Amino acid sequence: MATDCILPQRLQPASAPKSWPAPRRVTVSPSQEQVHYLQEELQRPRALRNAGFLRNEGHCPCSYPCVATCHHGLHTPVARRFYLNGSPVQMTAGIEPNQECKDPWVLVTSQPTILCSSWQQQPLSISKPRYLEQLENYLRKELLLLDLSTDSAQELRLQPYREIFEFFIEDFKTYKPLLSSIKNAYEVMLAHQREKIRSLEPLKAKIVTVNEDCSERILAMRAEERYEISMLKKEKMNLLKLIDKKNEEKISLQSEVAKLRKSLAEEYLRYLTERDARKILIGDLNELRYQREDMSLAQNPGVWGEDPVKLTLALKMTRQDLTRTQMELNTMKANFGDVVPRRDFEMQEKTNMELQEQLESLRSDYEEVRKEHEMLLQLHMSTLKERDQFSTELQEIQRTSTPRPDWTKCESVIAGGPERWLLLAEGKNSDQLVDVLLEEIGMGLLREKDFFPGLGFGDSIPPFLRFDGPVKNKKPTKKEVINILKDAWKERVAEEQKESFPDFFFNFLERRFGVNDAMAWAYTIFENIKLFRSSEIMSQFYAVLMGKNLESVYINQRETLSHLLKEFISVDTQNEGLITIEQFSTVLRTMFPLKKEEQIQELMEAVGWGPDSSNTDTINYQALFTEDEEGQSEPLVQRLWEQYEDEKEEYLAELKHELGLEPLEEVTLLKMRATLMNIDPTMDKHTLSTYLGQVYQIPAIDVPLEDEERQGIISIKVETAFDRLKMADTKRVGPREPEPAS
């Protein structure tokens, strides 16, 4: 039996117009199996049919082997046309003609509908559903009405899409829960992103501020560099002018030397001429005198009483001698005509030596100036390199550094307000301020605790903390803890039979607070001294209690301060509690002869001495050794402790360098002793035995200082040796002897 099924093209949404487009007709001639399948398909709910259609991804949900792919592509399961082998398929629905169908989308007619050839040759074009066109038109109009020139243009542009999606959710009831959850997920994500952007806006402003600050600093550094470069250029020009001046002086001196040589030659020629003329004149005078004598003798022959013949013969011989002498004189003149007198030669030689010295001095000055010029050029090049390096480092710091914290924000948080914060932060760097802030936070947390958990009875637990179970927090003030520690030190110093420091501490607490409260006070004091590392007495007590320092370090430091105070008192002859700066400096140099001049200056600056101070200014030395309520010492005591730590580290570093061994290598007692005596030659035997006993854990009286064979057997690792020396009161005894000059 053949029937005509009228199937609509598309399912229309809820907002579709009332007039539906004319359905197309499909003529089907199904078999019995196809009829049975169609009946089952029409009896299924519409939602299941749609779901089956969606699972087949827009293709025909019919999985029957004789049914081909739908002609019009995507459509609802009931609005479809089927082709088999390229021609329309007749499908029998198994419903009688004019019989009412339960499916509202299927209309059964009694007349077969013939498919015309023109319809078969239609192009396979897909038209948009009207509801989709309406939504697109609505979206287009809303977007045109938006003002996209504001900052929230993207937010406004999203609103029409949100409304379209809501319309879509409302019209598709079946998928409303899923689509609503999808929409809510996107809304939550958008809100999260907005909140994140809002939280990042202050950071952006802060980055801009930091960038401006760094730019100003760069400009300042560049201006400073330009100023330095200009100064160096001026200095360079001055040096060049000085070099030119020296060259001119050299040229003038050379010309003066040449002029002096020329004048000397002229004087020498004039002297030779005058000498020759004088000799000729003397010869002429002698000749005239001889002639006059001859004439007088000839006129008065009785004057001499001699024979004239004899006299004539004598005159002849004399003239021959004169001729010979004259020849010898001419020979001497010919041979030694260029010879100058020794006196003139020595004078000229002296003048020449002076000129030579002046020339050498000028040459040395010129060399020094040239070397200084080369050094300035090298310094200039190194300055340029350093400037480029600093610029690169500055850029790297600007890229990676974080802004400097504003410590004034802590004033409103710290208990006591701005006054106490200024007192705590005075003279401290950022690292120390972080420690102070952590101590204040830890103090608040420590006061909130009512009980401490017991640490148990393990071997690694200190004896005074071995307890299992909760321990009550006594919550003392910082001042009370400091007073307890001071009393403990006093009793420890006065104790005759020394026991281990942890055992003494617990026994002290038992004697003071009783057996029942001793453990609670031990935990309470331990937590406090572990927290307040900035307090000197607490940090030192904690180091001794945990075995990081020997108690002799603290005791010797206190003895040194006591001895220093006694020296100040002895200088104060009028017992006024005041001494002058000069007396203070003299006592420091007497008490600490091994300290350098810079360290003495630091100690003097710690008590208020400055460049403008005079030697007659007075100091209240009693106030230099006082402590406040929290156990903080005055700057002088703090500087003495810091210098002691620095001197110990420097001494141990020198000892380690002198040993020349790796940390894991073994060092014998013999080598350690020789090294100690090498870097500290004035060390006495008692101190040497103490240091070696501390390193090798031998009593000082049992150290074999005379037995070199035994010294070569006893050894220990270098790392362990220096850890033990760092615990003890290790310091230089005397100055190191200067090395002999090569």
Side-chain angles (χ1 to χ4, degrees):
M1 176 175 61
T3 62
D4 294 338
C5 294
I6 301 176
L7 308 176
Q9 257 185 331
R10 305 280 291 180
L11 279 173
Q12 296 297 327
S15 61
K18 295 181 180 180
S19 58
W20 291 86
R24 298 188 180 182
R25 301 175 182 272
V26 180
T27 304
V28 295
S29 297
S31 63
Q32 292 295 330
E33 295 178 356
Q34 293 171 339
V35 171
H36 178 68
Y37 174 77
L38 183 59
Q39 289 175 351
E40 292 180 353
E41 187 71 21
L42 293 175
Q43 289 175 0
R44 298 173 63 193
R46 185 181 294 106
L48 296 177
R49 293 199 301 273
N50 292 344
F53 172 71
L54 291 176
R55 281 195 303 272
N56 288 320
E57 299 179 356
H59 300 290
C60 176
C62 177
S63 60
Y64 199 77
C66 66
V67 179
T69 307
C70 298
H71 175 63
H72 280 283
L74 296 175
H75 52 77
T76 57
V78 295
R80 56 181 177 270
R81 296 172 177 82
F82 300 96
Y83 275 77
L84 183 62
N85 297 327
S87 59
V89 177
Q90 293 182 350
M91 184 171 64
T92 302
I95 305 172
E96 296 296 332
N98 299 324
Q99 182 180 357
E100 182 179 359
C101 182
K102 296 180 180 179
D103 196 327
W105 299 101
V106 179
L107 176 62
V108 182
T109 61
S110 58
Q111 297 298 329
T113 301
I114 307 301
L115 228 94
C116 63
S117 61
S118 63
W119 179 83
Q120 294 176 354
Q121 296 176 359
Q122 282 182 345
L124 303 179
S125 63
I126 301 173
S127 61
K128 292 184 179 180
R130 183 169 299 175
Y131 183 60
L132 177 59
E133 293 180 353
Q134 290 177 354
L135 294 178
E136 290 179 348
N137 291 333
Y138 175 77
L139 177 62
R140 194 177 301 110
K141 291 177 182 179
E142 291 294 329
L143 291 177
L144 290 175
L145 293 175
L146 293 177
D147 184 10
L148 301 179
S149 62
T150 61
D151 295 336
S152 59
Q154 295 299 327
E155 192 74 21
L156 296 174
R157 185 179 178 86
L158 182 62
Q159 185 61 28
Y161 289 99
R162 186 183 285 111
E163 295 175 358
I164 294 296
F165 196 42
E166 290 176 355
F167 293 156
F168 193 76
I169 292 172
E170 292 296 332
D171 290 334
F172 285 87
K173 305 293 183 180
T174 304
Y175 304 102
K176 182 176 180 180
L178 177 60
L179 295 176
S180 297
S181 62
I182 294 173
K183 177 178 175 296
N184 291 334
Y186 276 100
E187 291 292 342
V188 170
M189 188 61 188
L190 287 175
H192 174 67
Q193 294 297 331
R194 289 194 199 98
E195 186 65 25
K196 191 172 182 179
I197 292 172
R198 192 176 296 109
S199 64
L200 290 177
E201 286 179 356
L203 182 60
K204 180 180 178 182
K206 197 169 186 180
I207 291 174
V208 172
T209 305
V210 172
N211 190 14
E212 293 177 355
D213 188 13
C214 293
S215 300
E216 293 177 358
R217 290 172 63 188
I218 290 174
L219 293 177
M221 291 180 66
R222 288 179 178 173
E224 186 177 355
E225 289 177 355
R226 285 196 294 271
Y227 175 75
E228 291 179 357
I229 290 172
S230 64
M231 294 300 294
L232 289 174
K233 288 182 178 179
K234 290 180 181 179
E235 189 175 357
K236 176 185 175 183
M237 295 302 296
N238 293 332
L239 291 174
L240 290 175
K241 290 179 181 179
L242 180 62
I243 292 172
D244 295 338
K245 185 177 179 181
K246 294 295 183 182
N247 289 331
E248 291 176 359
E249 291 179 358
K250 176 184 174 183
I251 293 172
S252 63
L253 289 174
Q254 289 178 351
S255 61
E256 187 176 355
V257 169
K259 188 182 297 183
L260 289 174
R261 286 180 178 176
K262 184 177 180 181
S263 62
L264 178 64
E266 292 176 355
E267 288 291 330
Y268 179 69
L269 291 175
R270 187 173 62 82
Y271 173 76
L272 289 179
T273 304
E274 289 181 356
R275 188 193 63 178
D276 294 341
R278 180 172 174 272
K279 289 181 178 181
I280 293 172
L281 181 59
I282 291 173
D284 293 341
L285 290 175
N286 292 329
E287 184 68 22
L288 290 175
R289 184 168 60 85
Y290 294 152
Q291 289 179 2
R292 189 178 61 181
E293 290 178 354
D294 292 342
M295 290 176 65
S296 62
L297 291 174
Q299 291 176 1
N300 300 315
V303 176
W304 296 94
E306 295 287 340
D307 187 5
V309 178
K310 186 185 294 183
L311 293 174
T312 302
L313 181 61
L315 179 63
K316 183 176 179 181
M317 295 298 295
T318 303
R319 285 178 179 174
Q320 289 179 357
D321 294 337
L322 177 63
T323 301
R324 185 172 62 257
T325 303
Q326 191 68 34
M327 290 179 62
E328 291 179 356
L329 178 62
N330 292 334
T331 303
M332 295 292 291
K333 287 181 180 180
N335 293 332
F336 302 98
D338 296 332
V339 177
V340 297
R342 179 174 295 275
R343 183 181 61 184
D344 296 341
F345 173 76
E346 290 177 352
M347 291 177 60
Q348 294 297 328
E349 187 178 16
K350 183 178 179 181
T351 304
N352 185 29
M353 291 296 293
E354 291 177 355
L355 293 175
Q356 284 291 119
E357 290 177 357
Q358 293 179 2
L359 180 61
E360 292 296 329
S361 176
L362 291 175
R363 284 179 179 176
S364 61
D365 293 341
Y366 173 74
E367 287 295 327
E368 290 179 359
V369 172
R370 185 179 62 80
K371 290 179 181 178
E372 290 179 359
H373 177 66
E374 292 178 354
M375 290 174 62
L376 288 175
L377 289 178
Q378 294 177 359
L379 181 61
H380 178 65
M381 295 302 295
S382 63
T383 305
L384 291 179
K385 291 181 180 179
E386 289 180 359
R387 184 198 65 182
D388 298 338
Q389 182 180 358
F390 289 154
S391 177
T392 305
E393 292 178 357
L394 177 60
Q395 295 177 0
E396 183 67 19
I397 290 173
Q398 290 176 348
R399 185 179 65 83
T400 59
S401 63
T402 56
R404 185 175 180 82
D406 186 7
W407 294 109
T408 57
K409 297 179 181 178
C410 301
E411 295 177 353
S412 59
V413 180
I414 298 300
E419 293 80 6
R420 186 167 181 271
W421 173 251
L422 291 176
L423 182 62
L424 293 175
E426 183 180 2
K428 292 182 174 62
N429 54 27
S430 297
D431 188 29
Q432 294 172 343
L433 288 176
V434 171
D435 294 337
V436 172
L437 190 59
L438 290 176
E439 288 179 2
E440 292 295 324
I441 296 172
M443 182 172 61
L445 297 175
L446 191 61
R447 287 197 167 276
E448 293 177 358
K449 285 185 178 182
D450 293 329
F451 293 93
F452 298 111
L455 300 179
F457 295 93
D459 295 336
S460 60
I461 306 301
F464 59 91
L465 296 178
R466 290 177 183 173
F467 186 79
D468 193 5
V471 182
K472 185 179 180 180
N473 182 9
K474 293 296 183 178
K475 298 182 181 179
T477 63
K478 189 176 181 180
K479 182 179 179 181
E480 293 175 351
V481 175
I482 291 174
N483 291 333
I484 293 172
L485 297 181
K486 288 181 179 179
D487 294 341
W489 275 120
K490 291 179 182 178
E491 189 171 332
R492 180 62 173 177
V493 173
E495 188 181 21
E496 296 180 357
Q497 295 182 355
K498 300 290 185 180
E499 55 184 339
S500 65
F501 197 80
D503 294 339
F504 158 76
F505 176 62
F506 190 73
N507 294 334
F508 168 77
L509 295 178
E510 286 183 342
R511 289 191 297 271
R512 181 156 183 161
F513 300 105
V515 178
N516 296 329
D517 292 337
M519 186 58 67
W521 277 102
Y523 270 85
T524 302
I525 293 175
F526 178 75
E527 292 295 332
N528 277 271
I529 63 177
K530 184 173 68 174
L531 175 64
F532 295 103
R533 297 295 182 88
S534 62
S535 176
E536 295 178 10
I537 186 170
M538 287 189 176
S539 61
Q540 293 174 0
F541 196 90
Y542 177 78
V544 175
L545 191 62
M546 299 305 295
K548 296 181 180 179
N549 280 342
L550 297 180
E551 55 186 296
S552 60
V553 176
Y554 176 82
I555 295 173
N556 293 340
Q557 185 71 12
R558 288 297 168 182
E559 290 178 353
T560 302
L561 295 177
S562 177
H563 186 49
L564 181 61
L565 179 59
K566 291 179 181 179
E567 290 292 329
F568 288 150
I569 293 174
S570 64
V571 173
D572 183 14
T573 56
Q574 298 180 0
N575 295 327
E576 296 178 351
L578 299 175
I579 59 175
T580 62
I581 290 291
E582 185 176 1
Q583 291 174 338
F584 180 79
S585 175
T586 304
V587 171
L588 289 180
R589 287 181 170 83
T590 305
M591 278 286 297
F592 309 106
L594 299 181
K595 287 189 180 297
K596 301 177 182 177
E597 188 63 28
E598 295 82 2
Q599 295 175 321
I600 300 295
Q601 293 294 331
E602 289 180 359
L603 296 177
M604 295 179 66
E605 291 174 359
V607 299
W609 179 84
D612 299 333
S613 302
S614 63
N615 293 333
T616 59
D617 293 342
T618 58
I619 301 173
N620 184 4
Y621 62 88
Q622 296 285 354
L624 302 177
F625 299 91
T626 58
E627 296 180 354
D628 57 9
E629 295 181 353
E630 295 184 352
Q632 291 293 343
S633 303
E634 291 297 320
L636 175 64
V637 179
Q638 295 178 3
R639 292 303 301 159
L640 282 173
W641 176 256
E642 292 173 1
Q643 289 183 2
Y644 168 77
E645 293 286 337
D646 296 340
E647 290 169 0
K648 180 191 285 187
E649 292 181 1
E650 182 181 356
Y651 183 71
L652 294 180
E654 185 179 359
L655 177 61
K656 188 174 183 180
H657 180 267
E658 192 72 19
L659 280 174
L661 299 177
E662 296 296 328
L664 298 180
E665 292 183 351
E666 298 281 338
V667 55
T668 61
L669 191 148
L670 180 63
K671 185 173 181 59
M672 180 64 73
R673 176 195 175 187
T675 307
L676 284 171
M677 294 302 298
N678 189 23
I679 66 172
D680 199 355
T682 59
M683 183 182 296
D684 56 287
K685 289 187 178 181
H686 180 266
T687 306
L688 180 61
S689 301
T690 304
Y691 288 177
L692 294 176
Q694 175 65 25
V695 171
Y696 295 95
Q697 297 296 299
I698 303 173
I701 58 175
D702 296 335
V703 175
L705 294 179
E706 306 299 334
D707 191 354
E708 293 187 358
E709 183 178 357
R710 188 179 172 190
Q711 292 178 18
I713 298 174
I714 302 174
S715 64
I716 196 175
K717 289 185 178 180
V718 175
E719 184 177 11
T720 305
F722 279 91
D723 290 341
R724 292 175 178 175
L725 284 175
K726 194 172 183 180
M727 290 170 51
D729 183 22
T730 308
K731 58 186 176 181
R732 182 180 293 280
V733 176
R736 183 167 183 173
E737 293 181 355
E739 297 181 358
S742 58

